[in-house]
Amino acid sequence: MISADWIAVDWGTSSLRAWAVGKDGIVAEASSSDGMSTLDRDGFEPVLLSLVGDWLGDAVTPVIACGMVGARQGWAEAPYVPVPCPPMVADGCITVAAGDPRIDVRIIPGLSQDAPADVMRGEETQIAGFLASEPGFSWTICLPGTHTKWVQVGAGRITRFQTMMTGELFALLFRHSVLRHSVGGAAWDDDAFIAAVRDGNANPDRLAGELFALRAEDLLHGLAPASARARLSGLLIGAELAAASFDGGDVAVIGAASLGQHYATGLSVIGRKARIIDGAGITLAGLTQAWHALEGTFA
Amino acid sequence: MISADWIAVDWGTSSLRAWAVGKDGIVAEASSSDGMSTLDRDGFEPVLLSLVGDWLGDAVTPVIACGMVGARQGWAEAPYVPVPCPPMVADGCITVAAGDPRIDVRIIPGLSQDAPADVMRGEETQIAGFLASEPGFSWTICLPGTHTKWVQVGAGRITRFQTMMTGELFALLFRHSVLRHSVGGAAWDDDAFIAAVRDGNANPDRLAGELFALRAEDLLHGLAPASARARLSGLLIGAELAAASFDGGDVAVIGAASLGQHYATGLSVIGRKARIIDGAGITLAGLTQAWHALEGTFA
């Protein structure tokens, strides 16, 4: 018998994760692949109830969600809050009109930047979770992923940010382009990655040509797939590091183990120190920040 | 009743085009979508015969083909000829072991460059066709496409070349990335294209960030799809123009009408003169150069 004070939900484009949180922390958790992109507006509540129904009692259970669930194509739109602002803006949370009286659902807003135009949804909650444990952190946070975010933080606020499509470019080139014939497999060549980061960083303008050279190197000189794959990643990350705005100081890299490690390696290649923050607990820590801010607003 | 002296074939990755050529020029032509990528090694001859069978008589008919038909995954591999060399190297043409005694098939070799590693297959024949009508042409030829080629030519020879994946990047981003939600439709905004060429050319390193900005501009400011599509193209072409090696002089742009026009516009934005060469007759002109060189070798 689960007894949850509230339920935390991380609902992204391709998956969904929920935690039942009690007085002493997590009492249950569950996940599914019913991401935002697979659902119509009416599909969100049934999916949530099928996942967390067993955690609900007679009283109303607060639910706090972050991520693409709050996008225009999500369950309900939580309008972007413009930066500069703190990563967690309680006033910007919206209440969802759920049909089931056992839940009271709130969605955390994403953040926007007017010029250069940019948006994030979900990462703001990770940043709030990170800053909860390191309130004095300044400078740059990097959140690698499909759309990598580079975020400038100071005095507990996000001042500006920048999204790079590096991860999506890698996936498209790896799976769908002519390079797929040359980069197959999961093997990895560290030296090729490091050399490519250096090349991509020194000459980011040559990217479109360097990419085809991977295919030509394979055809003419038998480039190994592990080297081609690492070089593809390194060229893209190197070019990204040339474009990313850094303030001074170390970079905190928040993210999945191997991708976070590649970014940290890339940063060291260009002479920057990075520390890797495990992303696993960070989102729940951010949702918990929202709970503290919103607790009094639940009936 | 067709009577062909020889048959010219342009056999690319995704399609196939054949001409029956008599004393006074083209007497028939045919095409199909049986490109190299759709065929096994044994599939090429039946496809060719189904397309040109009606043009064959009792005597052996010479067939000269160019393009990906000569790739490792093609009908038979015509090994690359290294540059510098003339675009048409008759000694490099290979004879295919066809089963049907009515045809004698030759394939024109592609060209390679050792360092930076690069390859072309098919474009060398277009260049040969172009140089046939302008033997004195020097400087730069641009052949826009999925894999755009920038080719340096002098004294009838190709000295070096460079392949850019711009066209494939555009197609992947347009069809498969998150940008597909923002760039839909076939409309075109010339001013947005010109501004984007300028931006992409001035700051090619910012590409990964500028790309996501198209999505954010749509979400935040309602960027029109015509502008987003033109800007996507302009950013990629602008960055390509920053990376392409130019010798002095005008650029000859060989290619399909609208894409060729975009490249010519882009070149004018960065202060270079371009003239557009209609690509339609160029390939056959190049195959005719090969016919002149090989005619004596057919039994």
Side-chain angles (χ1 to χ4, degrees):
Chain A
M1 175 76 189
I2 303 293
S3 174
D5 287 353
W6 67 288
I7 293 169
V9 180
D10 177 13
W11 206 327
T13 302
S14 57
S15 65
L16 159 64
R17 190 175 189 93
W19 298 267
V21 187
K23 292 275 170 291
D24 301 318
I26 301 169
V27 293
E29 64 182 282
S31 63
S32 92
S33 58
D34 294 310
M36 178 276 274
S37 66
T38 68
L39 298 172
D40 292 328
R41 183 142 298 191
D42 295 338
F44 288 85
E45 185 169 343
V47 163
L48 181 65
L49 290 172
S50 74
L51 206 63
V52 310
D54 290 346
W55 306 345
L56 303 178
D58 296 333
V60 174
T61 302
V63 176
I64 301 177
C66 70
M68 293 301 283
V69 65
R72 202 174 295 170
Q73 301 83 12
W75 189 353
E77 185 174 5
Y80 295 111
V81 173
V83 296
C85 65
M88 178 59 57
V89 183
D91 287 352
C93 293
I94 63 159
T95 301
V96 178
D100 191 306
R102 295 173 300 164
I103 52 175
D104 181 351
V105 180
R106 312 292 172 87
I107 298 179
I108 295 170
L111 305 184
S112 66
Q113 179 174 272
D114 193 57
D118 216 326
V119 294
M120 67 167 75
R121 270 198 198 277
E123 293 90 352
E124 74 295 325
T125 302
Q126 295 185 287
I127 295 166
F130 171 62
L131 291 183
S133 62
E134 303 204 25
F137 180 85
S138 280
W139 312 124
T140 304
I141 300 173
C142 170
L143 300 103
T146 304
H147 300 151
T148 296
K149 308 287 176 186
W150 292 86
V151 184
Q152 303 299 321
V153 171
R157 295 163 68 85
I158 293 175
T159 51
R160 60 195 163 82
F161 66 98
Q162 196 179 11
T163 303
M164 306 285 198
M165 282 184 60
T166 309
E168 186 158 17
L169 281 171
F170 178 85
L172 290 171
L173 291 164
F174 188 83
R175 287 183 208 141
H176 298 297
S177 84
V178 70
L179 302 185
R180 69 187 184 280
H181 304 300
S182 302
V183 296
W188 187 260
D189 175 342
D190 261 325
D191 292 341
F193 176 75
I194 289 169
V197 167
R198 202 168 280 131
D199 290 348
N201 193 251
N203 298 295
D205 55 313
R206 293 195 197 148
L207 191 62
E210 294 277 7
L211 292 176
F212 189 79
L214 296 175
R215 179 67 181 144
E217 283 281 356
D218 175 23
L219 289 169
L220 299 180
H221 306 311
L223 181 65
S227 304
R229 176 163 168 266
R231 189 162 170 81
L232 173 59
S233 175
L235 286 169
L236 291 169
I237 290 176
E240 175 178 349
L241 294 175
S245 307
F246 292 96
D247 287 337
D250 295 357
V251 176
V253 178
I254 299 176
S258 80
L259 186 59
Q261 184 58 58
H262 292 332
Y263 272 80
T265 302
L267 284 160
S268 76
V269 167
I270 65 161
R272 300 294 300 248
K273 271 198 183 157
R275 51 188 180 120
I276 300 176
I277 315 295
D278 181 10
I282 289 282
T283 304
L284 181 55
L287 287 160
T288 304
Q289 291 296 302
W291 167 243
H292 293 324
L294 296 174
E295 191 173 353
T297 70
F298 287 99
Chain B
M1 175 74 189
I2 303 293
S3 176
D5 288 353
W6 66 288
I7 293 171
V9 180
D10 177 13
W11 206 326
T13 302
S14 57
S15 66
L16 160 65
R17 190 177 189 93
W19 299 266
V21 187
K23 292 275 171 292
D24 301 316
I26 300 170
V27 292
E29 66 182 280
S31 63
S32 92
S33 58
D34 294 310
M36 177 276 274
S37 65
T38 68
L39 298 172
D40 292 330
R41 181 142 299 190
D42 294 340
F44 288 85
E45 184 168 345
V47 163
L48 181 66
L49 290 172
S50 73
L51 206 65
V52 309
D54 289 349
W55 306 344
L56 303 178
D58 296 333
V60 174
T61 301
V63 176
I64 301 177
C66 69
M68 292 301 283
V69 65
R72 201 175 298 168
Q73 301 82 15
W75 190 353
E77 184 174 6
Y80 295 111
V81 174
V83 296
C85 63
M88 180 58 59
V89 183
D91 286 352
C93 293
I94 64 160
T95 300
V96 178
D100 191 305
R102 295 174 298 165
I103 50 175
D104 180 349
V105 181
R106 312 291 171 89
I107 298 179
I108 296 171
L111 306 184
S112 66
Q113 179 174 275
D114 192 57
D118 216 328
V119 293
M120 68 168 74
R121 270 201 196 276
E123 292 89 352
E124 75 295 325
T125 302
Q126 294 184 287
I127 295 166
F130 171 62
L131 292 182
S133 61
E134 303 203 27
F137 180 86
S138 280
W139 313 125
T140 304
I141 300 173
C142 169
L143 301 105
T146 303
H147 299 151
T148 297
K149 307 287 178 186
W150 291 86
V151 184
Q152 303 300 322
V153 171
R157 295 163 68 84
I158 293 175
T159 51
R160 61 194 162 84
F161 66 98
Q162 195 177 12
T163 304
M164 306 285 196
M165 281 184 61
T166 309
E168 186 159 18
L169 281 172
F170 179 85
L172 290 172
L173 290 165
F174 188 83
R175 286 184 210 143
H176 298 297
S177 83
V178 70
L179 301 183
R180 71 187 184 279
H181 303 300
S182 300
V183 296
W188 186 261
D189 174 344
D190 262 326
D191 292 340
F193 176 74
I194 289 168
V197 168
R198 204 168 279 132
D199 290 348
N201 194 251
N203 297 294
D205 55 315
R206 293 194 197 147
L207 191 62
E210 294 278 8
L211 292 176
F212 189 79
L214 296 175
R215 178 66 182 145
E217 283 282 357
D218 175 22
L219 289 170
L220 300 180
H221 307 311
L223 181 67
S227 305
R229 177 163 167 267
R231 188 161 172 81
L232 173 60
S233 175
L235 286 169
L236 291 169
I237 290 177
E240 174 178 349
L241 294 175
S245 306
F246 293 95
D247 286 338
D250 296 356
V251 176
V253 177
I254 299 176
S258 81
L259 186 59
Q261 185 57 59
H262 293 331
Y263 271 81
T265 302
L267 283 159
S268 77
V269 168
I270 65 161
R272 300 294 300 248
K273 270 197 184 160
R275 53 189 179 116
I276 299 177
I277 315 296
D278 182 10
I282 289 282
T283 305
L284 181 55
L287 287 159
T288 303
Q289 290 298 301
W291 167 245
H292 293 323
L294 296 172
E295 191 172 354
T297 71
F298 287 99

